[in-house]
């Protein structure tokens, strides 16, 4: 709970509901305008999946059973599904205020503020920990706890973790679970594809009475799958471990960079497992951007 003499005008910001972000279907889809790398992530997953199941899958399935292939298909499905959810979900963009609120606040006439110009900091208390809310001069509001302004998307995001080009979106309070599960799913898929592509090479060489080196030239697709899987795991594996530790500590990436080691989060629930469960399965706040667009549409139709 936050305590203070006056309540800061959280909702006062400029007209644009989502800065540089792209909104579709009345805010049901919210994504960053730079989605080229996210498209590359999708292509890599589809490419590795297609190479493995098209060329190595029949060999592996014939010798180890269809269950092994079902597992690989599920890992690819989850990787693509969580990528799509992270890339298209509202990360927690804060809603705009009306033009009247913004104009009056900037003129120092808001009922919440006694000074001109407005103060840059607002002292609050969160679960017994004192925190300072900073004023965002781009969005014209005090940012709530754990909120930060993304310079790429040009919005303030609640529970801001980081801007991730690999999913083409900000990662915040509303889509962090999807990002977390995407990273973990990709790591598991990399281990799967590397292991069974290697099994294909070794088993095929033995059945043909060849050495491992002699059999490499017979299956270039398996080698390609192993190389892509290894490089991807090398990049994503550490990221996955980092976010497991951060989620267990109830700390965002942004907070870890700002406060460094030893930071004790006021949102810690007393148990690492409980922190992770809440991060992945806890209730999500409604999309404030979607609510804003609905109210704007209603006001337009009523005029």
């Amino acid at each position: 709970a936050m305590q203070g003499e006056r309540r800061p005008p959280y909702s006062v910001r400029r007209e644009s509901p989502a800065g540089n972000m792209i909104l579709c279907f009345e805010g049901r889809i919210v994504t960053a305008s730079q989605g080229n790398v996210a498209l590359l992530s999708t292509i890599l997953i589809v490419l590795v999946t297609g190479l493995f199941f098209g060329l190595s899958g029949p060999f592996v399935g014939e010798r180890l059973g269809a269950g092994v292939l079902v597992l690989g298909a599920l890992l690819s499905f989850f990787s693509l599904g969580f990528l799509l959810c992270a890339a298209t979900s509202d990360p927690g963009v804060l809603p705009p205020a009306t033009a009247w609120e913004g104009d009056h606040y900037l003129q120092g006439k808001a009922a919440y503020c006694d000074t001109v110009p407005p103060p840059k900091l607002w002292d609050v208390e969160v679960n017994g920990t004192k925190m300072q809310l900073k004023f965002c001069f781009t969005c014209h509001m005090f940012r709530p706890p754990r909120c930060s302004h993304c310079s790429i998307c040009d919005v303030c995001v609640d529970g801001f973790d980081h801007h991730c080009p690999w999913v083409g979106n900000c990662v915040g309070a509303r889509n962090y679970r999807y990002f977390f599960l995407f990273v973990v799913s990709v790591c598991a898929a990399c281990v799967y594809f590397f292991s069974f592509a290697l099994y294909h090479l070794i088993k095929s060489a033995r059945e043909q009475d060849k050495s491992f080196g002699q059999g490499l030239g017979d299956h270039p697709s398996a080698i390609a799958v192993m190389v892509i899987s290894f490089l991807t795991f090398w990049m994503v594996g550490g990221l996955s471990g980092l976010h497991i530790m951060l989620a267990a500590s109830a700390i965002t990436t942004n907070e870890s960079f700002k406060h460094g080691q030893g930071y004790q989060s006021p949102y810690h629930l007393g148990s690492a497992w409980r922190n992770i469960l809440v991060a992945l399965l806890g209730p999500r706040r409604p999309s404030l951007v979607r609510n804003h667009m609905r109210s704007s549409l209603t006001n337009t139709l009523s005029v």
Side-chain angles (χ1 to χ4, degrees):
M2 296 188 301
Q3 299 176 353
E5 296 180 358
R6 295 178 182 272
R7 178 178 174 177
Y10 286 156
S11 60
V12 179
R13 56 163 295 172
R14 64 193 188 285
E15 289 292 325
S16 173
N20 296 329
M21 305 187 82
I22 299 173
L23 306 180
C24 299
F25 304 108
E26 297 182 5
R28 290 180 175 85
I29 294 179
V30 181
T31 188
S33 56
Q34 302 89 357
N36 296 333
V37 183
L39 179 61
L40 177 60
S41 301
T42 304
I43 292 174
L44 283 175
I45 295 173
V46 173
L47 176 63
V48 172
T49 302
L51 284 174
F52 179 81
F53 283 100
L55 299 171
S56 295
F59 181 92
V60 174
E62 182 179 346
R63 287 155 182 80
L64 299 179
V68 174
L69 300 183
V70 171
L71 175 61
L74 288 175
L75 289 174
S76 295
F77 174 79
F78 287 138
S79 297
L80 286 171
F82 290 131
L83 170 60
L84 179 64
C85 290
T88 61
S89 295
D90 173 15
V93 176
L94 296 185
T98 64
W100 184 89
E101 289 176 309
D103 289 343
H104 279 69
Y105 186 75
L106 291 177
Q107 294 171 12
K109 297 180 180 179
Y112 301 108
C113 192
D114 297 327
T115 62
V116 180
K120 298 179 181 180
L121 299 174
W122 198 286
D123 295 324
V124 299
E125 188 173 302
V126 178
N127 297 328
T129 301
K130 293 183 178 180
M131 303 179 70
Q132 284 189 326
L133 309 187
K134 294 183 178 180
F135 184 79
C136 178
F137 289 95
T138 302
C139 301
H140 312 303
M141 67 170 186
F142 279 97
R143 294 194 289 258
R146 310 194 100 178
C147 174
S148 185
H149 188 91
C150 176
S151 59
I152 298 176
C153 296
D154 196 29
V155 289
C156 280
V157 178
D158 185 30
F160 180 79
D161 190 87
H162 68 290
H163 182 92
C164 180
W166 292 102
V167 301
N169 203 355
C170 273
V171 177
R174 296 195 74 257
N175 67 345
Y176 179 78
R177 66 189 64 189
Y178 301 133
F179 169 79
F180 182 97
L181 294 172
F182 162 67
V183 172
V184 173
S185 298
V186 168
C187 285
C190 288
V191 173
Y192 172 91
F193 288 126
F194 183 91
S195 300
F196 287 104
L198 180 61
Y199 169 84
H200 182 193
L201 291 176
I202 295 174
K203 187 68 174 178
S204 177
R206 288 180 178 177
E207 291 179 357
Q208 299 177 38
D209 294 325
K210 295 180 179 180
S211 67
F212 178 75
Q214 292 174 334
L216 289 177
D218 297 336
H219 306 287
S221 62
I223 298 176
V225 169
M226 290 177 61
V227 170
I228 297 175
S229 298
F230 176 80
L231 294 176
T232 303
F233 184 83
W234 181 72
M235 293 185 293
V236 180
L239 184 64
S240 178
L242 171 65
H243 279 279
I244 290 175
M245 291 189 295
L246 290 176
S249 303
I251 299 174
T252 65
T253 302
N254 186 50
E255 290 172 335
S256 70
F257 281 116
K258 287 172 60 178
H259 302 289
Q261 295 182 349
Y263 173 68
Q264 297 294 324
S265 173
Y267 300 93
H268 198 290
L269 300 175
S271 167
W273 286 110
R274 190 177 179 185
N275 290 334
I276 293 176
L277 288 175
V278 169
L280 299 182
L281 302 176
R284 286 201 310 163
R285 300 176 185 178
S287 173
L288 301 181
V289 167
R290 186 176 176 186
N291 290 342
H292 169 81
M293 296 187 71
R294 283 177 173 175
S295 61
S296 298
L297 178 61
T298 302
N299 293 336
T300 302
L301 293 177
S302 62
V303 174

